[in-house]
């Protein structure tokens, strides 16, 4: 393969027998599935959708894209793709920072782990080569202690480390990866898969100089990149030091979402909370902000670093994000931003998804309030939350059932309706009653409830690329389809989703075409995104998600009215789901043979496995 942007080198690590092999990348797969998320899903599908997530047979894919580590703005993203132990679906989880760029600078596109080591190991990568090394001395360490130990061993210069913490080691189903800058690949339990395989960390040593990906059409690429950068610099949300995302980080959304009555509060019993302002971006900037950090090739700098300088919550942490602050704040009835910062910090140390942890806490609080469980945990009890987080990470006592995820825990208690989850993954920080399109997005997301599969919030709240009425269900299927396809492509090109606030399919097409040398138009971008989204759905169909009932929302959202400025609203899934299936060309949530052939996912000679499901 001789496309620009790629090193045409993948590392295949067999942890069972301790071997490392190398291979090139299939040209047809790249043309169809782009890279990153799309190509990773293809590998996971080829490996077999019937595998158990926590087994030697499951694979763990560390994926970059064709612009990763290049001069393209926001091109520092890395995708971790596997079968999720939380949901049983295919999942991909992304992280920023410099890890992805350094992997590309080291001369490697992707790393695929299979098998299971009989002892803790880490993978060391430098100069296009990878070595399995002993990690016995690292097992049991937190993520930051692991990173520091590996930096001490290999030198800090030009070094990136992505690692799991104790949560991944102990098989917490929502454990994730962290890298050296508090950036998380948090959702879906990818860290639990690594922990099962006894893979503690991946260490990459590589400098940018002389190693950046080379575009196939250098002059045209420079022009395409300038055009994209201009859009970002002039964007209403992305403009450096002016746009809301740059000034306040993702937490710029707290007050806005609360004001419209769509901030899930106390396990979604309410959708507005008078105390939410106390963990908003504005509050944090005034009281706790110490730095605005950024990722490779990103002018926006949305990463908010905060510091609590004294007291029992003394800490310094970079990732005071909207979702994290909400999950451990409004969703759990906690308004103390210092305590929230401390909770985020220990989540990062243990290597746990803050969203899923927040839900594990909130379902416990509601279950205790209603006399369903004996574990005492009151709304807003910060110290109790800290202790529960520790118990979950180490699977200690009551934490053991919560480590299985809120959906499994509430089912075990006999009250599955208390879990605000879809396909086993809990919702993020937008209530689907007050924002209709995002509810459809949660229900039809291929990795369980997720706002990042199809971010209709851009249109329904921010008016990007054009405003739509958040309270109206009609037309949301078409809107969601566009967002899902576009973001499937950006995740596969491996460019930050926030670029879509300023860039469009034409920007992506021009950067991709000139980098790789593969001609692509804006329409081709959307077609590739549609193919990738259908590939994921096909995987899930084969994995057993083949009924209309799998695309659902909890009854709280469809039967109980919202509060605040969304008073009385419920999610109108009854209107939206049929529309969505029609737009997608699916039959009750199953990808049809016609659609699979139309998109080239299966060939004429292939019998689609969905017929046997």
């Amino acid at each position: 393969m001789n496309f620009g942007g790629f090193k045409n080198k993948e590392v295949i690590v067999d942890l069972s027998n301790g071997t490392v092999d190398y291979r090139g990348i299939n040209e047809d797969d790249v043309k169809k599935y782009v890279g990153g998320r799309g190509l990773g899903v293809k590998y996971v599908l080829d490996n077999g959708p019937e595998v158990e997530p926590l087994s030697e047979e499951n694979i763990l894919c560390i994926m970059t894209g064709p612009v990763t580590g290049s001069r393209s703005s926001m091109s520092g993203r890395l995708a971790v793709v596997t079968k999720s132990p939380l949901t049983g679906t295919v999942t991909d989880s992304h992280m920023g920072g410099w890890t992805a760029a350094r992997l590309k600078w080291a001369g490697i596109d992707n790393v695929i782990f299979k098998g299971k080591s009989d002892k803790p190991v880490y993978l060391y990568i430098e100069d296009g080569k990878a070595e399995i090394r002993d990690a016995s001395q690292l097992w049991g360490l937190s993520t930051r202690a692991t990173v520091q130990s590996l930096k001490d061993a290999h030198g800090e210069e030009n070094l990136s480390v992505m690692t799991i913490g104790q949560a991944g080691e102990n098989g917490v189903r929502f454990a994730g990866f962290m890298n050296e800058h508090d950036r998380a690949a948090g959702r879906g339990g990818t860290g639990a898969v690594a922990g099962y395989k006894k893979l503690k960390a991946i260490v990459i040593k590589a400098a940018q100089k002389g190693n950046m990906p080379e575009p196939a059409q250098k002059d045209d690429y420079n022009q395409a990149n300038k055009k994209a950068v201009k859009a970002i610099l002039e964007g209403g949300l992305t403009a450096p030091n002016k746009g809301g995302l740059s000034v306040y980080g993702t937490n710029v959304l707290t007050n806005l979402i609360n004001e419209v009555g769509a901030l899930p509060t106390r396990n979604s019993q309410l959708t507005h909370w008078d105390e939410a302002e106390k963990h908003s971006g504005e509050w944090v900037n005034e009281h706790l902000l110490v730095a605005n950090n950024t990722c490779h090739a990103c002018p926006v700098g949305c990463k908010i670093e905060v510091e609590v300088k004294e007291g029992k919550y003394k800490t310094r942490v970079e990732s005071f994000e909207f979702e994290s602050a909400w999950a451990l704040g409004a969703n759990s009835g906690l308004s103390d931003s210092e305590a929230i910062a401390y909770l985020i910090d220990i989540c990062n140390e243990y290597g746990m998804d803050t969203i899923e942890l927040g839900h594990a806490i909130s379902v416990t609080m509601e279950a205790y309030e209603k006399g369903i469980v004996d574990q005492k945990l009151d709304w807003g009890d910060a110290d109790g939350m800290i202790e529960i987080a520790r118990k979950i990470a180490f699977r200690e006592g009551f934490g053991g059932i919560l480590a299985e995820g809120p959906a499994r825990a509430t089912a075990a208690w006999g009250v599955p309706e208390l879990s605000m989850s879809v396909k086993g993954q809990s919702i993020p920080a937008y209530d689907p009653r007050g924002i209709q399109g995002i509810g459809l997005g949660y229900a039809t997301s291929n990795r369980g409830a997720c706002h990042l599969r199809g971010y209709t919030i851009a249109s329904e709240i921010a008016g990007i690329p054009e405003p739509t009425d958040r309270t109206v269900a009609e037309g949301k299927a078409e809107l969601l389809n566009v967002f899902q396809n576009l973001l499937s492509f950006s995740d596969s090109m491996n460019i930050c989703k926030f670029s879509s606030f300023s860039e469009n399919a034409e920007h992506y097409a021009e950067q991709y075409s000139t980098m790789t040398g593969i001609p692509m138009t804006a329409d081709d971008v959307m077609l590739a995104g549609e193919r990738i989204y259908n590939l994921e759905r096909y995987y899930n169909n084969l994995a057993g998600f083949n009924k209309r009932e799998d695309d659902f929302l909890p009854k709280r959202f469809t039967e109980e009215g919202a509060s605040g400025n969304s008073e009385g609203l419920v999610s109108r899934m009854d209107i939206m789901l049929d529309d969505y299936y029609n737009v997608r060309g699916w039959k009750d949530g199953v990808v049809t043979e016609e659609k699979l052939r139309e998109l080239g996912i299966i060939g004429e000679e292939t019998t689609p496995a969905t017929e046997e499901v």
Side-chain angles (χ1 to χ4, degrees), residues 98-320:
W98 280 263
T99 303
R102 284 209 174 91
L103 183 59
K104 188 67 74 77
W105 300 340
I108 292 168
D109 295 295
N110 311 309
V111 184
I112 294 88
F113 294 93
K114 57 184 182 178
K116 177 186 179 183
S117 176
D118 59 4
K119 66 178 182 179
V121 296
Y122 71 95
L123 191 72
Y124 182 80
I125 296 172
E126 186 176 11
D127 294 333
K129 296 180 181 179
E131 299 176 7
I132 300 172
R133 298 188 177 183
D134 181 54
S136 298
Q137 76 282 6
L138 302 174
W139 204 252
L141 295 184
S142 70
T143 59
R144 289 207 191 93
T146 301
V147 169
Q148 190 57 56
S149 179
L150 289 166
K151 286 187 172 182
D152 290 344
H154 299 292
E156 293 198 15
E157 188 176 6
N158 300 322
L159 195 81
S160 284
V161 179
M162 59 183 287
T163 183
I164 62 170
Q166 298 97 329
E169 295 176 4
N170 294 320
V172 175
R173 288 184 184 268
F174 49 92
F177 277 95
M178 300 295 301
N179 72 17
E180 70 274 14
H181 298 287
D182 281 344
R183 312 298 164 82
R187 307 226 75 188
T190 60
V193 176
Y196 177 85
K197 293 179 178 296
K198 289 290 192 291
L199 174 67
K200 179 64 174 176
I202 301 167
V203 182
I204 307 158
K205 193 162 185 96
Q208 172 181 310
K209 188 175 181 180
N211 292 317
M212 292 185 79
E214 288 297 325
Q217 301 163 11
K218 186 174 181 179
D219 291 342
D220 290 339
Y221 168 77
N222 289 339
Q223 290 304 310
N225 188 39
K226 286 180 181 178
K227 182 177 176 181
V229 170
K230 185 174 185 292
I232 291 168
L233 296 181
E234 296 177 356
L237 283 172
T238 58
N241 303 315
K242 292 188 294 183
L245 191 61
S246 183
V247 175
Y248 299 108
T250 58
N251 208 15
V252 67
L253 288 163
T254 296
N255 284 332
L256 178 59
I257 299 301
N258 193 44
E259 177 62 26
V260 302
L263 191 72
T265 300
R266 296 196 174 195
N267 201 34
S268 298
Q269 294 180 90
L270 302 169
T271 61
H272 174 86
W273 193 37
D274 289 340
E275 299 292 309
E277 193 273 335
K278 293 181 181 178
H279 60 69
S280 68
E282 292 84 349
W283 178 281
V284 169
N285 272 33
E286 182 178 349
H287 295 91
L288 298 177
L289 178 70
V290 290
N292 287 85
N293 298 318
T294 193
C295 302
H296 162 72
C298 180
V300 179
C302 74
K303 296 301 176 185
I304 301 299
E305 185 170 351
V306 301
E307 184 176 14
V308 180
K309 296 183 178 180
E310 57 187 9
K312 63 181 177 180
Y313 303 131
K314 182 178 180 180
T315 190
R316 183 165 178 146
V317 62
E318 185 179 283
S319 48
F320 203 104

